[in-house]
Amino acid sequence: MAALSSSAGCRSYVTQLPSSSSSSDETARRRNQRIPFSSNPRIFHHAKVSCQLNPRSSHPNVLRMQDGAVAPAMTTFESESSSNKLKESLLQTAPPEERKDAAGFDVNQNESTVTITVLGASGDLAKKKIFPALFALYYEDCLPKHFTIFGFARTKMTHAELRTMISKTLTCRIDKRENCDKKMDKFLDRCFYHSGQYDSQEDFAELNRKMREHEGGRVSNRLFYLSIPPNIFTEAVRCASQSASSVNGWTRVIVEKPFGRDSESSAALTKTLKQYLLEDQIFRIDHYLGKELVENLSIMRFSNLIFEPLWSRQYIRNVQLIFSEDFGTEGRGGYFDNYGIIRDIMQNHLLQILALFAMETPVSLDAEDIRNEKVKVLRSMRPLSLEDVVIGQYKSHTKGRTTYPGYTDDTTVPKDSLTPTFAAAALFIDNARWDGVPFLMKAGKALHNKIAEIRVQFRHVPGNLYNRNFGTDLDRATNELVIRVQPDEAIYLKINNKIPGLGMRLDRSYLNLHYAARYSKEIPDAYERLLLDAIEGERRLFIRSDELNAAWSLFTPVLKELEKKKIIPEYYPYGSRGPVGAHYLAARYNVRWGDIGSEQ
Ligand SMILES: NC(=O)C1=CN([C@@H]2O[C@H](COP(=O)(O)OP(=O)(O)OC[C@H]3O[C@@H](n4cnc5c(N)ncnc54)[C@H](OP(=O)(O)O)[C@@H]3O)[C@@H](O)[C@H]2O)C=CC1
Ligand SMILES: O=C1O[C@H](COP(=O)(O)O)[C@@H](O)[C@H](O)[C@H]1O
């Protein structure tokens, strides 16, 4: 069995899986089990000591190390051992009462601790995704031995109330998992709440004091999760950085989208964040990058000989990136109306998938090498033009006795809103590999189904001996590779074969890697993977600022034009397949959407 070098804790990377007999499945499962966090040396690495004074540091007396760690600027660091000496000396100054932390652990001064602070802890995302993901990591023994979780928001709440709020949404992902309740109680014991204003240095200073109690003199690492509306990102980062960043470990900040609403506002946000943070400390999250099948894209491409040679204009006719939800913007209309589906889904989730799909082979699996390749693809793309975009908006629809609301029926949405809830677009990558290949995107809310998938339609077989068996519809005979990101994850390839028997009738069949059938282990939520990566300092799945700029450059001109010209969206009924204009757009490039038709 060959193991790839592990790039993340609590995970083992197994390249060779045994065939699917039940005993070998068991072996595979055991091999795939996560390595407990505590036994992974990577977790406890101290920040690399390649120090430089950060001219923009808000702390005049600190040095910032690679990885965002900071240390007092009284020593010149030259080696890891001198950095450790400094850390030791800092720890030795801890008063005796701090030799135990607030949770009662004896303080081993060579140990480190991670404090995860969720800003906006009272909000929807925190409840739905962040706390459950943290619990899942804890359940799987993926969090470090010493960790503390703080919820921070303006809402007044006690620790107990926070715990009750969190416990209502915590589930063991698989029913009847062992010791779930016990583990849940232990997890909740490590969760605390601090009420404060996002723009108050005093409130963050008080948070800092509480954090220090829990850290008890260990090397302190701090992760802040900005689960708050974007208009308060900057203030919160300023306060966190100036009053609550770590003095002897790393400080990192996870930033949620939206990262601005066009090139200018995004650049302005980046600029302000960088007044307080180094780029390496900023973890811009796009949760689609944490989805299992999106992560698997590179493995599929670069570790299977059969795919990579086909991965170009020579064999691929078009690529389709499809996102569809069977519910509207219910409850989030206020946010959505300012952004629309192009900013909400296409400019980030679908474009990130496209970049991973289309990039050249990176030099290594290192985060910077991968992100360099993604930027290159994005920068090779043609900015989207208005004629290559179709927009739609859902309207009310009655089915049986149920009436589904239209987008503008939401009281938080202006009645005359032109914000698109659906869009289809044709994009092109002007490089040698992809010249002329349409990359079609389609994203919509309140459609007939919920799905996210990538469809790769291959070219027709030249001079196909069996053409007459397919009649005139050659598309039906063309190979298509489908990567179903969700739900019911699968990778399947449509191929042609003969129907068994004495005659010569052809059939279309599926070579199907259906995850639920192949793997008994459940698929972790994207937020689990991304939170773990942020704790470990793994940046591969986070967006670098130059990627973000390149992504906005592609969409900003068309977004402005749509708004300036007040383009009216094509209205489609709630629960339908969306505007017919999407078909005309595809037809212009000789493409048929793969998700429409009798067999998908
Ligand atoms: N919800 C989701 O599914 C997704 C959300 N996101 C992004 O994640 C972030 C959080 O999302 P979500 O939880 O839905 O957001 P919420 O609107 O629920 O806000 C989170 C918390 O922020 C505080 N807050 C809200 N409005 C303001 C305001 N005007 N001024 C100061 N504080 C405010 C509130 O806490 P309190 O009043 O207690 O301080 C609230 O509980 C946002 O940036 C969002 O765009 C991204 C992808 C999906
Ligand atoms: O970022 C967002 O994603 C969700 C869809 O995420 P999924 O993991 O449930 O597919 C979308 O509903 C939301 O509008 C958008 O902001």
Side-chain angles (χ1 to χ4, degrees), residues 463-524:
N464 191 338
L465 281 175
Y466 297 96
N467 270 355
R468 69 185 174 82
N469 298 64
F470 297 108
T472 50
D473 192 355
L474 285 187
D475 282 356
R476 269 183 51 78
T478 303
N479 297 124
E480 186 174 23
L481 174 69
V482 183
I483 299 161
R484 191 162 64 222
V485 175
Q486 67 184 31
D488 200 18
E489 293 80 351
I491 301 174
Y492 56 93
L493 178 64
K494 296 186 190 172
I495 58 151
N496 301 307
N497 61 288
K498 178 179 166 298
I499 296 174
L502 300 178
M504 178 54 75
R505 283 175 53 226
L506 299 198
D507 197 8
R508 264 198 106 170
S509 300
Y510 294 61
L511 299 180
N512 193 352
L513 165 55
H514 181 217
Y515 274 55
R518 178 71 181 90
Y519 299 107
S520 56
K521 194 166 167 46
E522 86 278 30
I523 292 179

Side-chain angles (χ1 to χ4, degrees), residues 219-232:
V219 173
S220 109
N221 296 314
R222 294 181 178 179
L223 177 65
F224 292 89
Y225 197 126
L226 301 191
S227 183
I228 46 180
N231 57 321
I232 47 174

Side-chain angles (χ1 to χ4, degrees), residues 182 196 198 223 272 364 369 409-410 415 517 533 588 600:
K182 231 170 158 180
Y198 302 103
L223 177 65
T272 10
S364 76
D369 288 331
D409 294 332
D410 184 331
K415 286 279 166 256
D533 279 354
R588 194 171 339 132
Q600 293 166 16

